[in-house]
Amino acid sequence: MVDKDVVRRGYDDVAPVYAAERATDGRSTAILERFLESLPEAASVLDAGCGQGTPVLRNASAVGLDFSGEQLALAAANAPGAALVRGDLAAPPFAADSFDAVVAYWSLIHVPREDRQATIDEFARLLCSGGRALLCVGKDDWRGTNPDWLESGAEMQWDLAGAAATRDHLRNAGFAVVDEWTIVDPLEEDSDDAEPAWVIIDARLDR
Ligand SMILES: C[S@@+](CC[C@H](N)C(=O)[O-])C[C@H]1O[C@@H](n2cnc3c(N)ncnc32)[C@H](O)[C@@H]1O
């Protein structure tokens, strides 16, 4: 099972290495930009697991939520002026109906599967009627650990619920899936033989 303290400490340690390796353009950013353009003008957006503040906070007028202090420090530098909040995705410290949209890019993948439905239920609670969610999840279920992720010396753990399980979680929380894309990892976008291992799901709250 994923230990959230290991994930948080891992991101505190890996933050500058991850930021240097993470492509900020490419397919996932193009999908994000189209998603943001489709929102009403002045929509309020939550970047759930904002990390280093790219690409979401830099492209949107959004509130960033993350539990890693080092990631939030990078986000403050990369997206000056963004509102940043330290907290857990499973218990976001915001009132109901606070946002028009939530984006979770490569963050739900670290939430233990036991907390996954509750986390997506929380996203639904935070959204206004008809609110939208753009979530990146694994193509398939997978759970794993890397003791030296990105050769940074930091341990990292993942728990991917997979696209099929996530569709169920979304449906249970009252969302309807609007669109879906299978994409390669932004850490491997320059590699010719990278397998598309990630799914981005655009969903709308059906209330
Ligand atoms: C792979 S990074 C993604 C950062 C950015 N969204 C991106 O697309 O590059 C995952 C981020 O999610 C955060 N995170 C993971 N689990 C979390 C949790 N339960 N609560 C808050 N933040 C979490 C980590 O601290 C990290 O900054």
Side-chain angles (χ1 to χ4, degrees):
M1 177 172 164
V2 162
D3 180 336
K4 286 187 187 181
D5 287 336
V6 171
V7 173
R8 185 183 41 73
R9 271 200 308 274
Y11 273 104
D12 280 343
D13 291 344
V14 81
V17 177
Y18 175 80
E21 300 258 335
R22 202 246 194 260
T24 52
D25 53 3
R27 188 111 189 275
S28 61
T29 300
I31 292 166
L32 168 73
E33 285 168 351
R34 276 204 303 278
F35 176 81
L36 295 172
E37 280 163 19
S38 75
L39 299 177
E41 208 176 324
S44 53
V45 179
L46 174 66
D47 182 5
C50 63
Q52 68 290 342
T54 59
V56 184
L57 287 180
R58 207 184 247 171
N59 282 276
S61 159
V63 174
L65 172 68
D66 205 287
F67 65 8
S68 157
E70 292 299 321
Q71 287 283 70
L72 287 171
L74 290 181
N78 287 327
L84 300 173
V85 176
R86 194 164 182 178
D88 192 327
L89 297 181
F94 306 104
D97 300 342
S98 292
F99 298 99
D100 298 300
V102 56
V103 178
Y105 257 22
W106 282 274
S107 54
L108 271 178
I109 63 174
H110 296 290
V111 172
R113 64 188 61 192
E114 295 76 13
D115 291 352
R116 191 67 52 82
Q117 182 67 63
T119 303
I120 292 181
D121 289 346
E122 276 296 285
F123 290 172
R125 181 185 70 78
L126 298 180
L127 287 173
C128 302
S129 172
R132 301 265 299 283
L134 189 69
L135 312 181
C136 172
V137 298
K139 199 166 93 179
D140 302 307
D141 289 23
W142 183 78
R143 196 180 269 185
T145 297
N146 185 333
D148 182 21
W149 190 38
L150 301 176
E151 298 176 357
S152 66
E155 178 180 353
M156 188 49 66
Q157 299 181 346
W158 295 263
D159 193 351
L160 278 51
T166 305
R167 276 184 227 114
D168 288 344
H169 293 144
L170 284 164
R171 212 170 297 119
N172 295 339
F175 287 94
V177 171
V178 175
D179 214 338
E180 200 171 298
W181 303 263
T182 303
I183 64 160
V184 298
D185 197 314
L187 297 173
E188 296 175 12
E189 225 154 73
D190 292 338
S191 155
D192 289 338
D193 52 6
E195 290 285 325
W198 302 105
V199 174
I200 296 178
I201 302 178
D202 177 353
R204 183 187 302 276
L205 199 54
D206 221 0
R207 64 149 165 84

